[in-house]
Amino acid sequence: MLDINIISYGLGSIGCQIAKFILEKEGLKIVGAIDVAKEKIGKNLSSVLELEKQLEISVSGNAEALFSNIGADLVIHATSSRLEEVYHQILGCLKAGLNVISTCEELSFPYSKHPSIASELDRQAKAKGVTILGTGINPGFLMDTLPIMLTSPCKEVKNIKVRRVMFSGNRRDSYQRKIGTSLSQDVFRKMINDEKITGHVGLFESISMIAAALRWKLSNIEVLPPEPIISENEVKTTCMTIKPGQVAGLKSVAYGLKGKEKVITLEFISHANVKRPYDEISIRGVPNIRQKIIGGIHGDIGTIAMAVNAIPKIMNAKPGLVTMIDLPILSATLHDMREHVKWRK
Amino acid sequence: MLDINIISYGLGSIGCQIAKFILEKEGLKIVGAIDVAKEKIGKNLSSVLELEKQLEISVSGNAEALFSNIGADLVIHATSSRLEEVYHQILGCLKAGLNVISTCEELSFPYSKHPSIASELDRQAKAKGVTILGTGINPGFLMDTLPIMLTSPCKEVKNIKVRRVMFSGNRRDSYQRKIGTSLSQDVFRKMINDEKITGHVGLFESISMIAAALRWKLSNIEVLPPEPIISENEVKTTCMTIKPGQVAGLKSVAYGLKGKEKVITLEFISHANVKRPYDEISIRGVPNIRQKIIGGIHGDIGTIAMAVNAIPKIMNAKPGLVTMIDLPILSATLHDMREHVKWRK
């Protein structure tokens, strides 16, 4: 049986971790790698991934050229959160006849914010007979797929609240910077105003996905600007020291509204002072359901696993743009990945 | 737009509650009802359901005759837990070209225990272009679909433990009797030996489903005989009084084994002394995941909701026998049920 041939598109922190995980998995093979960073282009993939084992792959800066030289089954795409920024990259993959799984947050449910991009991606994927999915731990699981699925034993649902409380102090450096760690309050607020800190990207998409699944016609989706969480103590993280009065992290809140009623509330809280991380879902309905993941789920590991565990579902899916509510439930893909695929080619 | 026409097959406690829920739902219409009980046959459905509103449906004792007289889209089937007992009923529905959703526990994942029945049902459904699903809260959700889905952010899974701790004191009379409530220990053990008390039906199927999703090749599935939970105090339930030393309920345990290693452990605990019901899933892997539904989920309401919420997924599914891991994730089906269906006829 042939391996499932993968191209790694994007070798930032998440892209590199995904590539390393793919290299560990039986039945998967990396046949190409793409990044835009000049310092990575031309390098051997193993040195970018900081692996001892040499790989026979050098990082390409030209996706189109790579696609025309190398046959593959699927692209794992991890470059940016914003669909407008990555749209042309993904379209290039589809035009080359490649399935795509992307960690682009705005691709997880793009129909509300980017309807024309969504329909163009869907059209192109169908034309080429391939499938495209945006997924990750959040959006993709904790604040949308999981709460949606938890409504399935409900006769009625009045409202849904989801809260993610994360410990950020052991996350990657770029993540800690992204949430404003160790900034002063003033600088934090200025960076919010200048949109240099955006908070968690995906709350809008998660709310859209929940509403679509439940057929709730929302009058509005309100994403509030992130609020700083100020540290009272000195805190050392893996890469910085937060002084009292400085920012330990942030809180992002968003609402799905029917008139004035908040039928969906998502709260994303991530800072270096969190002692007991958790993910909690509260459904008010018949019956009420209160669910908690004690200790939470590590964001990077979760996103890497979701992206790779989605591979067989995408290989088996009907062509077009799909979201997590179109697919059969994902699971861990243990043993040989090829056993999870019903080959359609 | 036409209603989705439903036949209610089985008017026991769960069947009646499902029928009542269907009557409340926009876009669904009950067009026929079937039961084997002589005291129900010929009666108006509204009197069997104890409704004030009169319905123009009388309960039939002859499924074949009903199917040949009445066109419908789907049968909701709720008669018995054992597939061998209900197999001919379900086959009759399929032969009449009707989609089927059944609460039959052994249908939730029938491939391991009843492979020949499973393949005959699949063959017949495909021949008629209809779909058949077994579902409910458990099996169907709490001990299989949900733990499977919770492995999707995992890179590795070593083992899975699921524990359901239920308060039985407010459940229907037949349920309280089924778990041995207020029996003496001796009578309980005799009834276990005589297979008059079987414990929870579905642990075998839930383990089979988890193993299938994760591609775990189990060497054995071990379902232990139920153990009585003895009450220390006098307890009054909705329909009986338990004296000290009598049975308050039971505990059923089952294992999915790889050699001597218990990779799946399911514990089902249901008795009248439970103060804090919960459902808990513990996944040992990368990462570890510990999830808890605080307060648990009421079994009857959950099963009723799952069966009805599955309707659009079954109307949209490919023909054949399907299980919960083949379908897109379920959710509550709010508003008009027809909005959730992509009509294929």
Side-chain angles (χ1 to χ4, degrees):
Chain A
M1 199 162 39
L2 292 172
D3 285 316
I4 300 170
N5 291 330
I6 312 269
I7 293 173
S8 279
Y9 198 140
L11 297 169
S13 170
I14 292 289
C16 283
Q17 290 181 72
I18 291 175
K20 283 183 195 171
F21 185 38
I22 290 172
L23 290 170
E24 289 169 18
K25 300 280 294 180
E26 211 179 334
L28 297 183
K29 188 178 174 184
I30 297 184
V31 294
I34 303 164
D35 201 274
V36 292
K38 281 191 184 137
E39 67 277 16
K40 290 174 189 169
I41 295 169
K43 266 200 181 174
N44 189 291
L45 179 59
S46 54
S47 82
V48 175
L49 300 182
E50 295 173 358
L51 295 176
E52 286 183 19
K53 186 185 145 193
Q54 202 66 6
L55 299 164
E56 292 190 2
I57 295 158
S58 63
V59 177
S60 166
N62 185 334
E64 212 174 322
L66 183 75
F67 296 155
S68 67
N69 285 332
I70 288 179
D73 297 298
L74 190 141
V75 173
I76 297 262
H77 174 270
T79 62
S80 158
S81 305
R82 299 297 184 188
L83 191 51
E84 282 173 341
E85 289 171 24
V86 306
Y87 163 59
H88 65 283
Q89 297 174 348
I90 294 173
L91 201 63
C93 301
L94 299 177
K95 284 183 175 168
L98 298 164
N99 294 294
V100 178
I101 295 171
S102 175
T103 61
C104 170
E105 281 86 345
E106 289 188 347
L107 184 63
S108 64
F109 202 86
Y111 308 104
S112 312
K113 203 187 278 176
H114 298 294
S116 63
I117 293 182
S119 85
E120 172 62 7
L121 292 175
D122 183 55
R123 198 192 60 73
Q124 190 61 244
K126 282 177 176 153
K128 293 291 182 175
V130 293
T131 308
I132 169 173
L133 169 75
T135 194
I137 192 72
N138 183 27
F141 188 73
L142 289 170
M143 289 188 147
D144 37 47
T145 312
L146 188 56
I148 289 166
M149 173 146 155
L150 279 171
T151 67
S152 57
C154 292
K155 293 170 78 174
E156 184 54 75
V157 178
K158 295 287 180 204
N159 65 54
I160 297 176
K161 290 184 188 176
V162 186
R163 178 182 281 169
R164 176 153 171 75
V165 180
M166 277 175 57
F167 172 61
S168 60
N170 63 352
R171 292 290 300 270
R172 61 183 195 271
D173 302 8
S174 62
Y175 180 85
Q176 294 189 37
R177 276 192 296 275
K178 198 167 79 172
I179 62 166
T181 311
S182 85
L183 295 178
S184 72
Q185 273 199 65
D186 289 350
V187 174
F188 181 94
R189 294 199 189 276
K190 185 169 177 350
M191 287 178 80
I192 292 288
N193 280 338
D194 299 348
E195 294 184 2
K196 286 180 180 164
I197 294 177
T198 55
H200 173 68
V201 179
L203 298 178
F204 184 95
E205 287 70 23
S206 292
I207 289 175
S208 303
M209 198 193 294
I210 294 172
L214 298 182
R215 299 299 189 276
W216 272 342
K217 284 171 189 69
L218 300 179
S219 46
N220 194 19
I221 296 176
E222 204 176 308
V223 180
L224 304 182
E227 284 293 319
I229 307 281
I230 305 303
S231 190
E232 289 178 8
N233 323 308
E234 180 168 303
V235 183
K236 279 191 205 315
T237 77
T238 47
C239 60
M240 36 188 125
T241 300
I242 306 162
K243 293 192 179 134
Q246 288 183 339
V247 173
L250 55 73
K251 177 176 180 175
S252 283
V253 178
Y255 303 111
L257 295 148
K258 281 191 194 179
K260 285 185 179 172
E261 196 192 352
K262 293 165 183 166
V263 291
I264 304 170
T265 302
L266 305 186
E267 291 185 9
F268 176 92
I269 297 156
S270 180
H271 61 85
N273 273 328
V274 169
K275 300 287 177 248
R276 291 198 180 85
Y278 63 87
D279 286 283
E280 189 171 30
I281 298 169
S282 301
I283 298 167
R284 198 162 66 82
V286 180
N288 295 321
I289 293 179
R290 187 172 157 230
Q291 188 249 26
K292 199 163 179 177
I293 297 177
I294 299 125
I297 297 182
H298 190 281
D300 285 1
I301 298 177
T303 289
I304 291 152
M306 294 289 298
V308 174
N309 289 331
I311 291 173
K313 307 296 174 194
I314 290 309
M315 298 286 289
N316 295 337
K318 65 182 196 322
L321 171 64
V322 298
T323 72
M324 292 294 287
I325 54 176
D326 302 310
L327 295 174
I329 56 165
L330 261 62
S331 69
T333 49
L334 309 179
H335 309 296
D336 193 323
M337 181 66 89
R338 293 167 295 189
E339 287 180 28
H340 295 263
V341 175
K342 296 168 200 147
W343 292 85
R344 68 179 173 199
K345 281 175 189 169
Chain B
M1 199 163 37
L2 292 172
D3 286 315
I4 300 171
N5 290 330
I6 312 270
I7 293 174
S8 278
Y9 198 140
L11 296 169
S13 169
I14 292 289
C16 283
Q17 291 182 72
I18 291 175
K20 283 183 195 171
F21 185 38
I22 290 172
L23 289 169
E24 290 169 17
K25 299 281 295 178
E26 211 180 334
L28 297 184
K29 189 179 176 186
I30 297 184
V31 295
I34 303 165
D35 201 274
V36 292
K38 282 194 181 132
E39 67 276 16
K40 290 175 189 168
I41 295 169
K43 266 198 180 174
N44 189 291
L45 179 60
S46 54
S47 81
V48 175
L49 299 181
E50 297 173 355
L51 295 176
E52 286 183 19
K53 186 185 147 195
Q54 203 66 9
L55 299 165
E56 292 188 2
I57 295 158
S58 62
V59 178
S60 167
N62 186 334
E64 213 173 320
L66 182 76
F67 295 156
S68 66
N69 283 331
I70 288 178
D73 296 299
L74 190 142
V75 174
I76 297 262
H77 174 269
T79 63
S80 159
S81 305
R82 299 299 183 185
L83 190 52
E84 283 173 340
E85 290 171 24
V86 306
Y87 164 58
H88 64 285
Q89 297 174 348
I90 294 172
L91 202 62
C93 302
L94 299 178
K95 283 183 176 168
L98 298 163
N99 295 294
V100 178
I101 295 170
S102 175
T103 61
C104 171
E105 280 87 344
E106 289 188 348
L107 184 64
S108 64
F109 202 85
Y111 308 104
S112 312
K113 204 187 276 173
H114 299 293
S116 63
I117 293 182
S119 85
E120 172 62 9
L121 292 175
D122 184 55
R123 198 193 60 75
Q124 189 62 243
K126 281 176 178 155
K128 293 291 183 177
V130 293
T131 308
I132 169 174
L133 169 75
T135 195
I137 191 74
N138 182 28
F141 188 73
L142 288 170
M143 289 188 147
D144 36 47
T145 312
L146 187 57
I148 290 166
M149 175 148 153
L150 279 171
T151 68
S152 57
C154 292
K155 293 170 78 174
E156 184 53 74
V157 178
K158 295 288 180 201
N159 66 54
I160 297 177
K161 291 183 188 177
V162 186
R163 178 182 280 169
R164 173 151 171 78
V165 180
M166 277 176 56
F167 172 61
S168 60
N170 63 352
R171 292 290 299 270
R172 61 184 195 271
D173 303 8
S174 62
Y175 179 85
Q176 294 188 37
R177 276 192 296 278
K178 198 167 79 173
I179 61 166
T181 312
S182 84
L183 296 179
S184 72
Q185 274 198 64
D186 289 348
V187 173
F188 181 93
R189 293 202 188 272
K190 186 169 175 352
M191 288 178 79
I192 292 287
N193 281 337
D194 299 348
E195 294 185 0
K196 286 179 180 162
I197 295 177
T198 54
H200 173 69
V201 179
L203 298 180
F204 184 94
E205 287 70 22
S206 291
I207 289 175
S208 303
M209 198 194 293
I210 293 171
L214 297 183
R215 300 297 189 277
W216 272 342
K217 284 170 190 72
L218 301 179
S219 46
N220 194 21
I221 296 176
E222 204 176 307
V223 181
L224 304 182
E227 283 294 316
I229 307 282
I230 306 303
S231 190
E232 290 179 7
N233 322 308
E234 180 168 304
V235 184
K236 281 190 203 317
T237 77
T238 47
C239 59
M240 35 188 124
T241 301
I242 306 163
K243 293 193 178 131
Q246 288 183 340
V247 173
L250 55 72
K251 176 176 179 174
S252 285
V253 178
Y255 302 111
L257 296 147
K258 282 191 193 178
K260 287 184 176 172
E261 197 192 351
K262 294 164 182 165
V263 291
I264 304 170
T265 301
L266 305 186
E267 292 185 7
F268 176 91
I269 297 156
S270 180
H271 62 85
N273 273 328
V274 169
K275 302 288 176 247
R276 291 200 181 84
Y278 63 88
D279 287 282
E280 188 171 30
I281 298 168
S282 300
I283 298 167
R284 197 162 67 83
V286 180
N288 295 322
I289 294 180
R290 186 171 157 230
Q291 187 249 28
K292 199 165 180 176
I293 297 177
I294 298 125
I297 297 181
H298 190 281
D300 285 3
I301 299 175
T303 289
I304 291 153
M306 293 290 297
V308 173
N309 289 331
I311 291 174
K313 306 296 174 193
I314 291 307
M315 299 285 290
N316 294 338
K318 67 183 195 319
L321 171 64
V322 298
T323 72
M324 292 294 286
I325 53 177
D326 302 309
L327 296 173
I329 56 165
L330 262 62
S331 70
T333 50
L334 309 178
H335 311 296
D336 193 322
M337 181 67 87
R338 293 167 294 190
E339 287 180 29
H340 295 261
V341 174
K342 296 166 202 150
W343 293 85
R344 67 179 173 198
K345 283 174 186 169

